[in-house]
Amino acid sequence: SLHDALPILVTPLYLLAFFARLKFMLFRQFFDKTSSTYTYLIASGRGREALIIDPVKESTEAYLGLINQLDLKLVRAIDTHTHADHVTALGDLRDATQCVTIMGEFTNAECVSEHVSEGDRIDIDGIRLEAIYTPGHTDESFSFYWNQGDQKAVFTGDVLLIRGSGRTDFQGGDPRKSYDSIVNKLFRLPDDTLVYPAHDYKGMLSSSIYEEKHYNPRLAGKSEAEYARIMNNLNLPDPKLMDVAVPANLACGKQP
């Protein structure tokens, strides 16, 4: 039903047409206010296998509650990269559901059950995601592309945000790699691909490849050198939880 396709957050009208096409899909978008993190729970429908992307430790009970209510079986839990602003729920979800934990092949996280490389596919019960290596925010960041018929979406982690992009000044970040990942990989996806990032700070739920190509102020009409100059001059403070979150996330959420 359309109700099953709507995320937990309020959905703007321009997304309703997309979600209406997902009548056989179950899609939930969670938001963690402390870190402004989006988490995505996806399944083919009630009573089916499910996967979750970028879960936050403090919201573990909320995820498990909804999974139980909808009679889902969580079989995959994915982190797009090693987050620096929150602690992951990968380990807790694995312990609670025996799901397979997944990250990209270049991660140093110690308890990941399965590593993906460029072009690898994650298949579960009617859902298929393709792994795209998109370094730049961190040196191990991956995005995940979903393409079924005329329904397309990409989960970009922190590399591409809505009218922005993930910072590139720690964890092996590199502005030129970020530009290459966005312009030469993500921007080559179909224009109508919806963009679901791991964070947003202005209340936007999603975007599209077309919008970010044309209206992202850091990227639209910018050369690689111009983009690198912008990113190298952001002068942002370190994330408040970085000293706690990074080592905890390397242990899949198990804090020292």
Side-chain angles (χ1 to χ4, degrees):
S1 67
L2 176 58
H3 176 75
D4 283 336
L6 296 176
I8 283 178
L9 298 181
V10 175
T11 305
L13 291 177
Y14 77 92
L15 287 180
L16 288 180
F18 173 77
F19 287 122
R21 294 202 306 270
L22 298 184
K23 61 182 179 178
F24 300 113
M25 288 289 298
L26 189 150
F27 180 94
R28 294 292 187 271
Q29 184 178 34
F30 297 82
F31 185 67
D32 175 66
K33 292 182 179 179
T34 301
S35 60
S36 297
T37 298
Y38 282 134
T39 299
Y40 304 95
L41 178 69
I42 309 169
S44 294
R46 293 188 298 272
R48 306 286 289 272
E49 293 182 346
L51 63 84
I52 197 166
I53 300 174
D54 288 329
V56 177
K57 187 179 183 71
E58 287 75 11
S59 297
T60 301
E61 290 306 314
Y63 307 145
L64 293 174
L66 186 61
I67 287 167
N68 288 333
Q69 289 171 2
L70 298 178
D71 191 29
L72 300 174
K73 180 181 180 181
L74 187 68
V75 295
R76 297 286 189 276
I78 302 170
D79 263 352
T80 54
H81 63 289
T82 302
H83 296 275
D85 51 8
H86 69 268
V87 177
T88 182
L90 250 61
D92 290 345
L93 290 172
R94 181 194 60 185
D95 292 346
T97 68
Q98 289 73 56
C99 65
V100 174
T101 52
I102 297 176
M103 291 185 71
E105 63 180 322
F106 303 112
T107 184
N108 291 317
E110 64 185 33
C111 68
V112 177
S113 307
E114 183 178 315
H115 295 88
V116 293
S117 302
E118 175 86 18
D120 283 353
R121 292 176 174 176
I122 300 169
D123 287 292
I124 66 146
D125 194 12
I127 305 295
R128 170 174 287 177
L129 297 180
E130 180 181 342
I132 306 173
Y133 180 44
T134 49
H137 172 63
T138 72
D139 56 7
E140 32 87 276
S141 296
F142 269 75
S143 298
F144 294 89
Y145 178 50
W146 177 62
N147 178 14
Q148 290 184 235
D150 62 349
Q151 303 165 3
K152 304 175 184 68
V154 61
F155 301 90
T156 57
D158 287 12
V159 65
L160 177 61
L161 305 178
I162 300 171
R163 305 302 191 269
S165 57
R167 60 192 297 176
T168 58
D169 56 338
F170 56 77
Q171 287 186 275
D174 182 304
R176 294 184 181 274
K177 289 182 180 179
S178 173
Y179 185 89
D180 179 66
S181 292
I182 296 170
V183 173
N184 295 321
K185 290 188 176 182
L186 297 179
F187 280 1
R188 292 187 179 180
L189 296 174
D191 280 351
D192 60 350
T193 303
L194 289 185
V195 173
Y196 288 105
H199 297 284
D200 187 74
Y201 306 96
K202 297 180 180 179
M204 297 293 288
L205 302 184
S206 74
S207 182
S208 71
I209 292 297
Y210 176 86
E211 290 175 61
E212 297 311 313
K213 277 183 183 178
H214 291 86
Y215 304 117
N216 190 311
R218 295 183 183 175
L219 293 151
K222 301 293 194 300
S223 67
E224 181 182 280
E226 290 171 319
Y227 178 78
R229 185 161 55 251
I230 291 170
M231 300 305 291
N232 286 333
N233 286 282
L234 292 180
N235 297 318
L236 297 172
D238 286 344
K240 293 179 181 179
L241 291 178
M242 185 168 74
D243 291 342
V244 173
V246 172
N249 290 335
L250 291 174
C252 284
K254 305 298 184 183
Q255 295 172 286

